[in-house]
Amino acid sequence: MKYALAGTPAKHWVKTKCLKPHDLHQEHKQVVCVAGKKKNEKIRIVKITDGTVIDHISAGHALEVLEILGITGKEGSVVTLAMNISSSKVGSKDIVKLEKRVLEQSELAKIALVAPDASINIIQDGEVVKKTRVELPDSITNVVACPNKRCVTNKEREPIHAKYQVVSKRPTVLKCHYCWTLIEADDIIAQFMEH
């Protein structure tokens, strides 16, 4: 079974077959759901007029990207989510389209932590005006907490933000600048999913 999003908050997303527009509640008619394709069936994803398309997300990680960006579905803007769709480059991938939202550099760094191969397309008036790839910087500050409870960054009286050196980009491994604790991709994702 594949995933589909029916415009509901993340906590209500379910495993299901592709939904048809008549299956959606009236207030979600704008959200298009795509959950893979059958043989010889074309995938249809509605174009957005203005906003951002996050493409080439590792299959099964689109929900984590939405969580990282703080998207719950209650914002009122259209979000299109496609999971586990065919890709000639990587076999299968996820795509997220955000209507009327352009991502900031700090958000792109967060996406790179869980989807290092993602590409970002900025759309204006229905056309791609800028295409980039997410890139994990050499160091990251104040994005994730150090898992070492004794680290100086976890002390309430110390005004120090967690700072990490990127030890490996694939798989993602970060090293705390202060206590040298290593944090891996699964731990990073778990922190984002907690909030």
Side-chain angles (χ1 to χ4, degrees):
M1 222 176 261
K2 304 291 185 182
Y3 290 92
L5 167 64
T8 55
K11 63 184 177 184
H12 299 296
W13 294 343
V14 296
K15 281 188 176 180
T16 183
K17 293 183 178 176
C18 285
L19 299 175
K20 306 285 186 247
H22 64 272
D23 294 329
L24 303 175
H25 296 290
Q26 185 61 39
E27 65 271 25
H28 302 302
K29 290 279 187 192
Q30 292 179 315
V31 179
V32 174
C33 308
V34 177
K37 66 179 184 177
K38 295 178 183 173
K39 221 175 201 179
N40 300 324
E41 183 181 334
K42 292 190 180 215
I43 294 177
R44 292 178 312 230
I45 301 175
V46 173
K47 288 177 71 171
I48 61 174
T49 307
D50 295 294
T52 303
V53 176
I54 308 166
D55 197 357
H56 298 100
I57 301 168
S58 301
H61 289 277
L63 297 177
E64 294 158 356
V65 169
L66 292 178
E67 186 74 29
I68 286 169
L69 296 174
I71 296 171
T72 63
K74 296 178 183 177
E75 296 81 12
S77 58
V78 175
V79 174
T80 303
L81 172 69
M83 295 183 77
N84 300 311
I85 61 173
S86 296
S87 167
S88 58
K89 281 186 178 179
V90 293
S92 64
K93 65 179 180 177
D94 294 353
I95 300 173
V96 173
K97 293 186 176 192
L98 307 171
E99 185 84 30
K100 297 183 177 127
R101 180 161 175 190
V102 176
L103 301 177
E104 296 178 18
Q105 207 57 36
S106 61
E107 293 174 309
L108 296 178
K110 289 180 183 180
I111 292 170
L113 288 170
V114 298
D117 296 317
S119 62
I120 307 296
N121 299 314
I122 306 301
I123 312 297
Q124 290 178 351
D125 297 322
E127 300 295 324
V128 177
V129 295
K130 183 177 180 186
K131 188 170 189 165
T132 61
R133 298 197 76 72
V134 295
E135 190 172 324
L136 200 54
D138 293 333
S139 66
I140 296 174
T141 303
N142 207 25
V143 174
V144 291
C146 182
N148 178 0
K149 298 297 178 200
R150 299 180 73 192
C151 180
V152 68
T153 61
N154 289 319
K155 305 293 182 196
E156 283 186 35
R157 291 184 273 154
E158 298 290 341
I160 299 174
H161 296 292
K163 182 177 180 180
Y164 294 94
Q165 173 189 357
V166 176
V167 177
S168 170
K169 295 185 179 189
R170 285 181 186 81
T172 303
V173 179
L174 308 177
K175 180 173 76 173
C176 178
H177 176 75
Y178 300 100
C179 70
W180 292 22
T181 298
L182 297 177
I183 182 170
E184 296 179 357
D186 290 343
D187 298 322
I188 295 166
I189 291 168
Q191 280 194 34
F192 286 125
M193 299 306 277
E194 287 174 1
H195 301 300

